[in-house]
Amino acid sequence: MATIKKRKDNYLITVSLGYDVNGKRIRKYLTYTPKAKTPKQIEKEVKKQAVLFEEKCLSGQVLNGNMKFKDFADVWFKDRKKDLRPKTYERYLTLLPRINQAIGHLSLSKIQPPHLRKFYKNLAEGGIRLDTKYKLNISLDDYLKENNLTTAEFCRRSNLPNTTVISIRKGNNVSKENAEKVCNALDMALENIFTAVDISKPLADETIRHHHRLISSILSTAVEWGYIYSNPCERTKPPKVAHKDPIYLDEKQCQILLELLEHETPTYKTLIHLLLMEGMRRGECLGLKWCDIDFDNHTMKICRTIQYTKENGVYEDETKNNSSNRVIALSHSIMQELKDYRRYQTEQRLKVGDRWKDKGYIFTNDFGEPLNPNTVSSWFSKFMKKHTDQLPYITLHKLRHTNATLQIALGTPITTVADRLGHSTSSTTADIYAHAIQTANRKASEKLDTLLYGNIEPGRYHHFGYETDGKTV
């Protein structure tokens, strides 16, 4: 039932609608200024408005736009967790602090396009990165010696793994979370022993668009649930993403890469060979099992991925989309590589005996468990940095770009390239690799020119028996 409270020149009408998912009472308010003259007329008019307002609230005609964005976002995340993939959910959580800092205090109904445009502009400026790395200013080795501490004891005090502590001792940068753990173990302030690195580096355009998509998803749900009438993101143009040609290795650089891999462990050597030759995503490659390889027909089935999140650890997941489930042909060299690697894995399995957990994965750790995707990327990064005198630095994902670019250069139809990469449409492939397609077009034109007219001098053109160089001959 509606309650009425008289104020100075008007009346506050309140309707209670129970409790939300967090147990907080839901109330809707209406401030009404009566037009009647006499006290009896005013009382009658206010009661009538209270009844009408309550009916609208109960029928869903009055929206709850007063709810703060931050509070609604919390409800949205709890509701969507079961529907979102763990990797996507974790990614969204990393974006939320910036969003809440900018618009979390605003009521849903108050958020307008100018607020969003201002937020996106701020994101494009430096100094707002949350992934800032920190470098230790003191010698951790000296500290351990002075205090008679072993590395194991420091790991226990800081709650950091040995690999992270070794990395810090080498002078490598660390996350703020790990830097704070070191500070707690040393009982020192962060600003006294660490220096923030690249704090002025702005966010990438695509990252800013991720913020826009998340805000839009949250506010679309607010519209669907009846909190607001429309989504302001629909009236706000997301930031443009400047097109960048994919970075890749050329043919000669690929040959150098393959030669350098000969000195690495069979697991990483085979894994990189497969990524380079088949253009798979990292998770797809790590999700491969021996049952996916058809050694008779030289094909490979891609139907699962391996992912990692802090909450779930290393876990098996579905592929990115339906088109990512595919069967691709394998070359003779790759088939031989896999056969050699299977013999190597069998030898490793026999060495550990009962400790081997046979789950059928191709790429595993020493005990049969699937590899952590981050571990693979970290290894490849160190590998590339070690060979910068021979190769340009690229990330692991750039092997996929290399594969696609080389396929196009060799004249492989774009539809075939799209199928092998697992793209939903060939237009996606064409958009990403437009540079490679243009280069292939030029080469095709040159080859046809040579075929029909033979070798010609630059600037001279033959046309059905007539030769011109700007003049008619």
Side-chain angles (χ1 to χ4, degrees):
M1 182 175 176
T3 61
I4 302 171
K5 182 179 180 180
K6 187 180 186 310
R7 299 197 291 194
K8 187 175 181 180
D9 298 321
N10 53 41
Y11 290 82
L12 178 65
I13 302 173
T14 304
V15 175
S16 180
L17 297 175
Y19 298 87
D20 63 16
V21 293
N22 294 317
K24 186 177 180 180
R25 185 182 291 276
I26 301 173
R27 291 188 178 94
K28 296 189 179 181
Y29 305 93
L30 172 68
T31 300
Y32 181 72
T33 302
K35 299 177 181 178
K37 302 292 184 180
T38 68
K40 282 190 176 182
Q41 288 175 332
I42 291 174
E43 182 181 0
K44 183 178 179 181
E45 186 178 334
V46 172
K47 285 183 177 180
K48 179 181 178 181
Q49 291 299 324
V51 171
L52 292 174
F53 182 63
E54 183 176 19
E55 289 176 351
K56 287 183 178 181
C57 289
L58 295 174
S59 62
Q61 297 179 52
V62 177
L63 305 183
N64 190 22
N66 291 327
M67 190 174 190
K68 304 295 184 186
F69 178 90
K70 180 180 183 300
D71 296 331
F72 185 80
D74 289 340
V75 175
W76 186 88
F77 267 89
K78 290 177 182 178
D79 180 79
R80 287 291 185 267
K81 185 173 184 180
K82 60 182 181 297
D83 300 322
L84 295 173
R85 290 191 174 185
K87 196 73 176 176
T88 303
Y89 182 80
E90 183 179 72
R91 171 65 171 161
Y92 282 170
L93 283 177
T94 64
L95 304 180
L96 190 59
R98 292 195 193 95
I99 296 173
N100 279 339
Q101 186 176 6
I103 62 173
H105 63 288
L106 296 175
S107 300
L108 293 173
S109 60
K110 299 295 183 181
I111 299 174
Q112 296 298 321
H115 296 116
L116 302 177
R117 288 196 295 270
K118 181 180 179 181
F119 174 49
Y120 301 149
K121 182 180 179 180
N122 290 340
L123 289 180
E125 298 171 353
I128 47 78
R129 297 183 68 91
L130 297 179
D131 58 350
T132 300
K133 299 297 184 181
Y134 289 80
K135 185 177 183 63
L136 187 62
N137 296 328
I138 65 173
S139 171
L140 187 57
D141 284 340
D142 290 344
Y143 179 88
L144 296 178
K145 289 179 181 178
E146 291 172 4
N147 292 273
N148 296 319
L149 285 176
T150 63
T151 302
E153 176 61 19
F154 182 77
C155 290
R156 187 190 65 77
R157 288 188 182 186
S158 62
N159 197 27
L160 288 171
N162 185 52
T163 52
T164 301
V165 173
I166 291 175
S167 178
I168 296 173
R169 293 173 68 176
K170 290 180 178 179
N172 295 331
N173 300 330
V174 295
S175 66
K176 185 176 182 180
E177 179 184 1
N178 288 339
E180 288 175 341
K181 289 182 178 180
V182 172
C183 291
N184 291 334
L186 301 181
D187 194 22
M188 296 181 182
L190 180 70
E191 60 271 16
N192 291 338
I193 60 173
F194 277 98
T195 301
V197 180
D198 291 335
I199 58 174
S200 61
K201 187 178 179 182
L203 296 178
D205 293 340
E206 187 60 37
T207 302
I208 299 175
R209 286 182 70 93
H210 287 327
H211 286 78
H212 173 79
R213 294 189 191 108
L214 177 55
I215 296 172
S216 184
S217 295
I218 292 173
L219 293 180
S220 291
T221 303
V223 174
E224 179 186 338
W225 291 355
Y227 284 78
I228 52 177
Y229 285 112
S230 64
N231 183 353
C233 288
E234 296 176 355
R235 307 190 303 276
T236 308
K237 289 184 178 180
K240 291 184 178 180
V241 177
H243 176 75
K244 294 181 180 179
D245 291 337
I247 300 173
Y248 60 93
L249 301 178
D250 60 26
E251 304 97 303
K252 292 183 179 179
Q253 291 167 340
C254 286
Q255 292 172 357
I256 295 174
L257 173 64
L258 295 177
E259 290 174 4
L260 293 173
L261 286 171
E262 290 299 316
H263 305 290
E264 302 299 327
T265 63
T267 299
Y268 284 119
K269 171 190 169 185
T270 307
L271 191 151
I272 302 303
H273 273 240
L274 208 54
L275 288 173
L276 177 63
M277 284 294 295
E278 310 309 330
M280 293 181 291
R281 300 176 179 92
R282 177 186 65 176
E284 293 173 344
C285 192
L286 296 179
L288 288 173
K289 295 186 176 183
W290 288 112
C291 60
D292 300 324
I293 309 298
D294 187 335
F295 286 94
D296 294 327
N297 297 308
H298 289 204
T299 61
M300 175 174 64
K301 180 172 65 175
I302 299 173
C303 57
R304 75 185 70 81
T305 67
I306 290 296
Q307 302 292 343
Y308 170 84
T309 64
K310 288 184 179 179
E311 182 178 350
N312 299 286
V314 178
Y315 66 96
E316 184 181 301
D317 198 2
E318 298 176 348
T319 54
K320 187 174 182 179
N321 48 48
N322 290 334
S323 60
S324 297
N325 292 327
R326 58 201 188 276
V327 175
I328 57 178
L330 300 177
S331 68
H332 173 77
S333 297
I334 286 296
M335 292 304 302
Q336 187 58 50
E337 187 87 25
L338 287 170
K339 290 177 181 178
D340 293 342
Y341 178 69
R342 187 168 58 171
R343 284 193 291 270
Y344 165 79
Q345 191 185 75
T346 300
E347 294 172 359
Q348 296 302 112
R349 187 170 67 244
L350 293 174
K351 288 180 181 179
V352 299
D354 294 340
R355 290 178 293 170
W356 182 269
K357 298 179 181 179
D358 193 3
K359 297 182 178 180
Y361 290 106
I362 295 178
F363 300 107
T364 69
N365 60 19
D366 293 338
F367 302 101
E369 297 282 3
L371 289 174
N372 184 324
N374 294 338
T375 300
V376 176
S377 293
S378 177
W379 175 87
F380 188 73
S381 177
K382 293 176 182 177
F383 170 83
M384 294 303 297
K385 288 177 181 178
K386 186 170 65 175
H387 299 293
T388 50
D389 57 327
Q390 296 173 274
L391 292 172
Y393 178 83
I394 62 169
T395 62
L396 190 68
H397 190 68
K398 298 304 187 260
L399 295 176
R400 179 171 164 86
H401 294 324
T402 298
N403 173 274
T405 303
L406 293 180
Q407 283 191 69
I408 294 170
L410 291 171
T412 307
I414 196 68
T415 52
T416 302
V417 177
D419 288 341
R420 289 181 64 84
L421 294 177
H423 286 162
S424 55
T425 63
S426 57
S427 62
T428 300
T429 313
D431 289 341
I432 298 174
Y433 301 103
H435 71 294
I437 295 173
Q438 292 172 0
T439 302
N441 282 341
R442 285 194 294 271
K443 289 184 177 180
S445 176
E446 292 169 0
K447 288 181 180 179
L448 187 60
D449 201 358
T450 302
L451 176 67
L452 296 181
Y453 304 117
N455 294 323
I456 57 175
E457 299 175 15
R460 298 178 64 84
Y461 303 93
H462 296 270
H463 183 65
F464 298 104
Y466 295 90
E467 180 180 316
T468 66
D469 59 356
K471 300 179 181 179
T472 303
V473 178

CSV table of all heavy atoms in Angstrom, one decimal, residues 54 81 84 89 178 190 192 324 333 336:
chain,number,residue,atom,x,y,z
A,54,GLU,N,0.4,3.6,-7.3
A,54,GLU,CA,0.6,2.3,-6.8
A,54,GLU,C,0.2,1.3,-7.9
A,54,GLU,O,0.9,0.2,-8.1
A,54,GLU,CB,-0.2,2.0,-5.6
A,54,GLU,CG,0.0,0.6,-5.0
A,54,GLU,CD,-0.7,0.4,-3.7
A,54,GLU,OE1,-1.6,1.2,-3.4
A,54,GLU,OE2,-0.3,-0.5,-2.9
A,81,LYS,N,26.7,-14.8,-14.6
A,81,LYS,CA,27.8,-15.7,-14.4
A,81,LYS,C,27.6,-17.1,-15.0
A,81,LYS,O,28.5,-17.7,-15.5
A,81,LYS,CB,28.2,-15.8,-12.9
A,81,LYS,CG,29.5,-16.6,-12.6
A,81,LYS,CD,29.9,-16.5,-11.2
A,81,LYS,CE,31.2,-17.2,-11.0
A,81,LYS,NZ,31.7,-17.2,-9.6
A,84,LEU,N,27.8,-16.8,-19.0
A,84,LEU,CA,29.1,-16.4,-19.6
A,84,LEU,C,30.2,-17.4,-19.5
A,84,LEU,O,30.2,-18.1,-18.5
A,84,LEU,CB,29.6,-15.1,-19.0
A,84,LEU,CG,28.7,-13.8,-19.2
A,84,LEU,CD1,29.3,-12.7,-18.3
A,84,LEU,CD2,28.7,-13.4,-20.6
A,89,TYR,N,33.8,-14.0,-18.4
A,89,TYR,CA,33.4,-13.4,-17.1
A,89,TYR,C,34.6,-12.8,-16.4
A,89,TYR,O,34.5,-11.7,-15.9
A,89,TYR,CB,32.8,-14.5,-16.3
A,89,TYR,CG,32.3,-14.1,-14.9
A,89,TYR,CD1,31.1,-13.5,-14.8
A,89,TYR,CD2,33.1,-14.3,-13.8
A,89,TYR,CE1,30.6,-13.1,-13.5
A,89,TYR,CE2,32.7,-13.9,-12.5
A,89,TYR,CZ,31.4,-13.3,-12.4
A,89,TYR,OH,31.0,-12.9,-11.2
A,178,ASN,N,51.3,-8.9,-7.1
A,178,ASN,CA,52.6,-9.5,-6.6
A,178,ASN,C,53.5,-8.6,-5.9
A,178,ASN,O,54.2,-8.9,-5.0
A,178,ASN,CB,53.2,-10.3,-7.7
A,178,ASN,CG,52.5,-11.5,-8.2
A,178,ASN,OD1,51.7,-12.0,-7.4
A,178,ASN,ND2,52.7,-11.9,-9.4
A,190,LEU,N,54.9,0.2,-0.8
A,190,LEU,CA,55.1,0.0,-2.2
A,190,LEU,C,55.9,1.1,-2.9
A,190,LEU,O,56.8,0.8,-3.7
A,190,LEU,CB,53.7,-0.1,-2.9
A,190,LEU,CG,53.7,-0.4,-4.4
A,190,LEU,CD1,54.1,-1.8,-4.7
A,190,LEU,CD2,52.2,-0.2,-4.9
A,192,ASN,N,58.1,2.9,-1.8
A,192,ASN,CA,59.5,3.0,-1.3
A,192,ASN,C,60.4,2.1,-2.0
A,192,ASN,O,61.7,2.3,-2.1
A,192,ASN,CB,59.6,2.8,0.2
A,192,ASN,CG,58.9,4.0,1.0
A,192,ASN,OD1,58.8,5.1,0.4
A,192,ASN,ND2,58.6,3.7,2.2
A,324,SER,N,34.3,-22.9,-35.4
A,324,SER,CA,35.6,-23.3,-34.9
A,324,SER,C,35.8,-24.8,-34.8
A,324,SER,O,36.9,-25.4,-34.8
A,324,SER,CB,35.9,-22.7,-33.5
A,324,SER,OG,35.9,-21.3,-33.6
A,333,SER,N,54.8,-33.7,-43.4
A,333,SER,CA,55.8,-33.4,-42.4
A,333,SER,C,55.2,-33.3,-41.0
A,333,SER,O,55.8,-33.7,-40.0
A,333,SER,CB,56.4,-32.0,-42.8
A,333,SER,OG,57.1,-32.1,-44.0
A,336,GLN,N,54.5,-36.7,-39.6
A,336,GLN,CA,55.7,-37.4,-39.1
A,336,GLN,C,56.1,-36.8,-37.8
A,336,GLN,O,56.6,-37.5,-36.9
A,336,GLN,CB,56.8,-37.2,-40.2
A,336,GLN,CG,58.1,-38.0,-39.9
A,336,GLN,CD,57.8,-39.5,-39.7
A,336,GLN,OE1,57.2,-40.1,-40.6
A,336,GLN,NE2,58.3,-40.1,-38.6
